[in-house]
Amino acid sequence: MDHILNIFRALADPTRLRIMLLLQKMELAVGELAQILDQSQPRISRHIRILDEAGLAERRKEGSWVFLKPGPASELEILGRIFRSEKVAESEQAQQDQAQLSLVRKARAEMAERYFSAHAEEWDAIRSLHLPEEEVERAMLALLRDAPLGRMLDIGTGTGRMIELFGAAAQSVIAIDNSPEMLRLARAKLLESETGSETDLVQKTELKQGDFNHLPLEDAAVDSVILHQVLHYAQHPEAVLDEVSRVLNPDGLVLIADFAAHDREDLRTEHAHARLGFSDDSMKYWLGASKLELVQTRTLDGGELTVKIWVARKTAVPSLHPGSGKHTLHKENLKRASA
């Protein structure tokens, strides 16, 4: 009884109700809420504390920013009907808040555009070393064609491209990056064309700050993992794969796209690559030691750097001879991938 009373006390304030309606649209930072509601951050923070204590909202720190999303109590059926009510959504105050929310979306998009413009030359220099990214993406999609992604984890999400590529086929998405700036870029990218199924993608995607050496997830929390051009930043790739195995469900899939072993030392000195690509032997060994059985590989030539894609499945028992593991996929839909 007390819990229900706390919920309705928390909602018995116009500002807190406005906050909850806004959070149904998208995750927002405290500063963004202050801008939309035209109130000071300390005042907004007090309202957020009350919503948090009632289970209506959850706070998450991301660098120096604090983001807010709906909490578990907001999923109560009666509250869902209130938040989705046309009468509420079409009220004058809700429409004014929606107009201010549009300005926040625009500001995020402009921030992303400035970042991409500033780094375009750097990224183009790396892309010029291998075949077009579109071909890499086609190969990745072919390898996971019809594979059940379930709860998907995108490690090192960067600009969120893997969410765009695979998110629609997943039940839910957790995207992790160590950089608050990159998470803000991914968040802005997700909102660029928010219509139809893409709206669903925004709703089912959770962006979290975290280190791939210590993933902020429980054991067996996800069904599939994607590491796209991420592993070469790891000083100890084997430790990252141990973490991947820990959070992956038995029989879950992991896809790694990265460079084959190369000698471009400038990528280490100028672009912070800790590893100059990976050999198949090393990848097989690390995967096997982490209870991940290599089931498919693809080699994509077409430039100075060769791109490799490795697909592995979590096994119950680590392979005794990871270097000689089987290369036949366990699922028929993955067998077609090399066709």
Side-chain angles (χ1 to χ4, degrees):
M1 180 68 75
D2 287 344
H3 178 56
I4 297 296
L5 287 173
N6 286 337
I7 289 174
F8 284 101
R9 286 193 192 103
L11 290 174
D13 178 275
T15 296
R16 291 197 286 274
L17 184 56
R18 291 167 67 190
I19 289 173
M20 290 307 303
L21 291 173
L22 288 165
L23 294 182
Q24 305 309 304
K25 302 290 185 181
M26 57 189 277
E27 187 180 54
L28 289 162
V30 174
E32 291 172 333
L33 281 168
Q35 174 188 335
I36 293 169
L37 301 174
D38 193 24
Q39 298 183 20
S40 68
Q41 288 203 27
R43 186 174 181 182
I44 292 296
S45 295
R46 286 195 295 273
H47 287 302
I48 288 171
R49 177 179 54 79
I50 294 171
L51 292 171
D52 189 11
E53 290 172 352
L56 288 164
E58 289 184 6
R59 289 177 286 190
R60 178 178 57 77
K61 189 170 175 56
E62 187 178 290
S64 60
W65 291 34
V66 174
F67 281 87
L68 206 68
K69 68 176 184 177
S74 67
E75 297 176 3
L76 291 174
E77 184 179 351
I78 187 172
L79 295 182
R81 292 203 301 270
I82 293 172
F83 296 147
R84 292 190 299 270
S85 166
E86 288 186 9
K87 188 173 183 179
V88 172
E90 293 175 0
S91 67
E92 183 179 353
Q93 184 64 74
Q95 291 295 313
Q96 290 174 0
D97 289 347
Q98 181 62 43
Q100 291 300 312
L101 182 63
S102 297
L103 296 179
V104 167
R105 293 173 185 264
K106 182 180 178 182
R108 288 186 180 185
E110 290 173 349
M111 176 272 297
E113 185 177 350
R114 288 194 300 270
Y115 184 90
F116 289 131
S117 296
H119 292 79
E121 185 175 343
E122 171 189 340
W123 289 343
D124 287 345
I126 296 178
R127 290 193 189 102
S128 69
L129 298 176
H130 60 81
L131 80 171
E133 194 63 35
E134 292 80 3
E135 294 187 37
V136 177
E137 292 180 356
R138 279 198 295 270
M140 295 171 69
L141 286 166
L143 284 165
L144 295 185
R145 185 189 305 133
D146 299 327
L149 300 181
R151 295 166 297 171
M152 186 186 100
L153 171 63
D154 179 22
I155 298 177
T157 192
T159 62
R161 178 55 184 160
M162 293 299 103
I163 306 174
E164 295 179 278
L165 203 62
F166 293 103
Q171 173 188 339
S172 61
V173 179
I174 300 174
I176 291 177
D177 204 288
N178 202 33
S179 165
E181 185 174 37
M182 296 309 295
L183 289 173
R184 288 194 282 275
L185 287 171
R187 195 173 286 111
K189 286 275 288 180
L190 276 176
L191 292 171
E192 276 184 357
S193 55
E194 189 185 1
T195 57
S197 62
E198 287 149 351
T199 301
D200 296 335
L201 182 57
V202 172
Q203 295 298 324
K204 71 180 180 181
T205 299
E206 180 180 7
L207 297 166
K208 296 170 71 80
Q209 185 177 8
D211 187 338
F212 54 19
N213 292 296
H214 305 284
L215 294 171
L217 297 171
E218 300 292 332
D219 295 354
V222 298
D223 305 302
S224 59
V225 179
I226 304 235
L227 296 107
H228 174 250
Q229 295 293 1
V230 170
L231 203 57
H232 58 243
Y233 290 109
Q235 294 290 343
H236 303 285
E238 65 277 19
V240 175
L241 293 177
D242 279 346
E243 274 292 274
V244 167
S245 180
R246 179 184 67 78
V247 303
L248 194 61
N249 258 330
D251 208 38
L253 286 172
V254 54
L255 181 148
I256 303 166
D258 218 302
F259 296 125
H262 62 85
D263 58 1
R264 286 294 300 253
E265 190 66 34
D266 58 308
L267 292 183
R268 192 197 311 272
T269 57
E270 296 177 20
H271 300 285
H273 289 202
R275 296 278 178 155
L276 299 183
F278 304 96
S279 68
D280 282 334
D281 287 343
S282 293
M283 191 63 71
K284 289 176 190 177
Y285 182 82
W286 289 332
L287 288 169
S290 299
K291 302 182 184 178
L292 298 166
E293 181 184 6
L294 182 64
V295 292
Q296 182 68 54
T297 63
R298 285 290 302 274
T299 301
L300 303 173
D301 294 313
E304 184 176 343
L305 297 181
T306 296
V307 175
K308 296 283 298 189
I309 305 176
W310 298 272
V311 179
R313 186 179 295 280
K314 185 172 180 179
T315 59
V317 179
S319 172
L320 295 177
H321 303 288
S324 58
K326 295 180 180 180
H327 300 279
T328 303
L329 296 176
H330 297 289
K331 300 289 185 182
E332 183 62 31
N333 53 356
L334 289 177
K335 285 182 181 179
R336 301 198 305 268
S338 60

